[in-house]
Amino acid sequence: MAAVSAWFWNERFWLPQNVTWADLAEVEGGPQYPRAGHVVSVLPLALGLFVVRLLFERFIAKPCALHLGIQTGGPRKSQPNAILEKVFTSITKSPDSKRLEGLSKQLDWDTRKIQRWFRDRRNQDKPSTLTKFCESMWRFTFYLYIFSYGLRFLWSTPWFWDTRQCWYNYPYQALTPDLYYYYIMELAFYWSLMFSQFTDIKRKDFLIMFVHHLATIGLISFSYVNNMVRVGTLVMCLHDASDFFLEAAKLANYAKYQRLCDSFFCLFGFVFVTTRLGIFPFWILNTTFFESWELIGPYPSWWLFNGLLSVLQVLHIIWSYLIIRVAYKALVRGKVSKDDRSDVESSSEEEDTSSGGKGSRSTSSNGASRINGHVNSGQWAEE
């Protein structure tokens, strides 16, 4: 284990030339630097944040939802049927036409009736609008808080106004209490998302978001351990700038304020594209690639850090394309299309399927498809 530890914490990988871990060791009365142990100690804080979230959703978010008229009841329950339930749980949740015909003969039911049963049974497993509202309100509150805190903190720092300050005297840059709090809270939040993903609304992109949270935790932890925290705070604040607009759009949608939902989503799209395609490459990547090369020079972890940020920029381009496409459809159709990660199926959709796809699926503002009618943004909504 000692050999593995020595290999993993190799100074020539983590630190610039002529710098050792001993140079960054804690000295009584001296400056404090980030320590790897801080990353591990964040786990109890993440659990505490998860408990705070549960209390927030129950005593704050739920009363707000009820005040806005969002009902606690979920979709209509299907009538009990042992044969169909066995097919649903053991074979398929969406039977094809051949299986429908066989079940119709076995039960002496019309195929439309069987289709409706499967539709109701699928919807029965999906969360209510109230549950989704509470989840989005917690995310909105935290994103707004952490962005406000980060912006207020960075406003008084020299590296916010001159990015070259991120690299002066690196890595001998002291860890201040405000900077430590900002980093640890961000890291704890994403750890709490890792915990809650197994109890939250199950979406189609579960695995994608799991990997995303894991990558985010890795990038935050990596930049903390090798003391790239100054530029790390810029990256975190920049990414937090748009997230609360997306959650605000979801809240407006669940409360059936469609115009407000569309306005928030378009605002989210504008901020997202501006920050990720404009500010990030010309401000963040410029300093991590060119200014840092000039002031401290490259070394192995420097290459890895910039490689990860480059991959992130590629994802920004992909997500921006998806957002622009959804926003365009919203402008053309007059409203944002539904979120097909967790939507409740409408009867019109089922009937269209059974009739061989004739006619268009209902997207009326009064239809069931609008119950969860937010954006078609499953892959990028929590980036």
Side-chain angles (χ1 to χ4, degrees):
M1 290 301 296
V4 171
S5 178
W7 170 81
F8 183 82
W9 294 110
N10 190 305
E11 294 166 340
R12 298 286 59 82
F13 171 81
W14 289 95
L15 301 172
Q17 285 187 336
N18 303 321
V19 180
T20 66
W21 292 118
D23 298 331
L24 302 175
E26 292 186 11
V27 178
E28 187 175 353
Q32 300 295 313
Y33 300 113
R35 314 234 64 83
H38 297 166
V39 175
V40 179
S41 64
V42 79
L43 293 177
L45 179 60
L47 289 173
L49 201 59
F50 179 64
V51 173
V52 170
R53 172 194 169 167
L54 297 178
L55 296 174
F56 175 90
E57 290 184 353
R58 180 170 182 176
F59 296 107
I60 298 178
K62 186 176 180 179
C64 289
L66 296 176
H67 179 72
L68 290 171
I70 298 176
Q71 302 299 318
T72 57
R76 180 180 61 185
K77 291 187 176 181
S78 58
Q79 67 181 86
N81 187 290
I83 295 175
L84 295 180
E85 184 68 25
K86 184 176 181 180
V87 173
F88 183 87
T89 56
S90 305
I91 302 176
T92 178
K93 295 182 179 181
S94 301
D96 55 22
S97 57
K98 184 177 181 180
R99 192 175 296 277
L100 285 172
E101 291 176 4
L103 291 171
S104 177
K105 294 178 180 178
Q106 184 177 359
L107 297 173
D108 195 24
W109 282 17
D110 183 78
T111 55
R112 290 285 184 87
K113 184 177 181 180
I114 298 175
Q115 284 182 317
R116 283 194 295 269
W117 188 95
F118 275 94
R119 184 197 68 236
D120 292 341
R121 184 63 181 84
R122 288 193 297 269
N123 287 339
Q124 188 176 317
D125 289 343
K126 294 178 179 178
S128 65
T129 304
L130 176 66
T131 302
K132 291 185 288 184
F133 181 93
C134 293
E135 178 184 317
S136 289
M137 188 170 180
W138 162 251
R139 293 172 184 258
F140 167 79
T141 303
F142 184 86
Y143 286 141
L144 181 60
Y145 163 74
I146 201 66
F147 172 71
S148 301
Y149 177 87
L151 189 61
R152 183 184 66 83
F153 163 67
L154 287 171
W155 197 266
S156 60
T157 62
W159 63 87
F160 184 73
W161 307 101
D162 179 13
T163 52
R164 295 174 68 89
Q165 293 285 343
C166 293
W167 313 108
Y168 289 149
N169 200 35
Y170 176 85
Y172 305 106
Q173 298 170 342
L175 181 68
T176 64
D178 285 344
L179 198 158
Y180 171 79
Y181 174 80
Y182 185 29
Y183 240 82
I184 292 303
M185 282 301 294
E186 285 273 12
L187 188 56
F189 177 69
Y190 280 100
W191 269 118
S192 72
L193 289 182
M194 288 285 286
F195 301 150
S196 64
Q197 194 173 14
F198 296 95
T199 59
D200 281 347
I201 298 167
K202 294 295 185 295
R203 303 190 190 276
K204 296 177 183 178
D205 61 345
F206 174 88
L207 182 59
I208 295 174
M209 293 313 302
F210 181 82
V211 174
H212 170 266
H213 295 330
L214 197 61
T216 303
I217 290 170
L219 189 56
I220 294 176
S221 302
F222 176 80
S223 62
Y224 185 84
V225 169
N226 68 357
N227 204 17
M228 289 186 177
V229 290
R230 290 189 176 184
V231 71
T233 57
L234 299 179
V235 174
M236 291 190 301
C237 187
L238 192 68
H239 282 73
D240 291 335
S242 59
D243 288 340
F244 63 90
F245 286 118
L246 178 62
E247 298 303 329
K250 291 181 181 180
L251 292 174
N253 178 73
Y254 298 146
K256 297 185 179 180
Y257 294 109
Q258 192 63 42
R259 288 186 179 180
L260 187 60
C261 165
D262 293 344
S263 299
F264 273 127
F265 177 74
C266 290
L267 188 58
F268 158 75
F270 173 78
V271 175
F272 187 98
V273 173
T274 301
T275 54
R276 311 299 174 90
L277 298 189
I279 298 177
F280 185 81
F282 294 106
W283 190 42
I284 300 297
L285 294 185
N286 177 66
T287 190
T288 59
F289 271 101
F290 303 109
E291 293 178 348
S292 65
W293 182 293
E294 177 186 346
L295 294 172
I296 64 174
Y299 54 99
S301 69
W302 179 94
W303 286 106
L304 179 58
F305 184 66
N306 279 287
L308 293 173
L309 292 180
S310 299
V311 172
L312 192 58
Q313 180 58 28
V314 173
L315 295 176
H316 290 166
I317 295 172
I318 297 172
W319 288 322
S320 296
Y321 165 74
L322 294 174
I323 292 170
I324 293 171
R325 187 176 66 176
V326 172
Y328 174 76
K329 290 180 179 179
L331 293 174
V332 171
R333 298 177 181 177
K335 64 180 180 180
V336 180
S337 60
K338 67 182 180 179
D339 179 353
D340 62 12
R341 292 192 299 166
S342 58
D343 58 314
V344 175
E345 302 168 61
S346 66
S347 58
S348 59
E349 291 176 340
E350 194 74 50
E351 290 167 3
D352 287 340
T353 303
S354 65
S355 61
K358 295 179 180 179
S360 61
R361 292 184 177 183
S362 172
T363 54
S364 168
S365 60
N366 296 322
S369 64
R370 190 172 170 273
I371 293 177
N372 303 314
H374 187 52
V375 297
N376 185 9
S377 58
Q379 288 72 25
W380 44 260
E382 298 198 14
E383 185 275 328

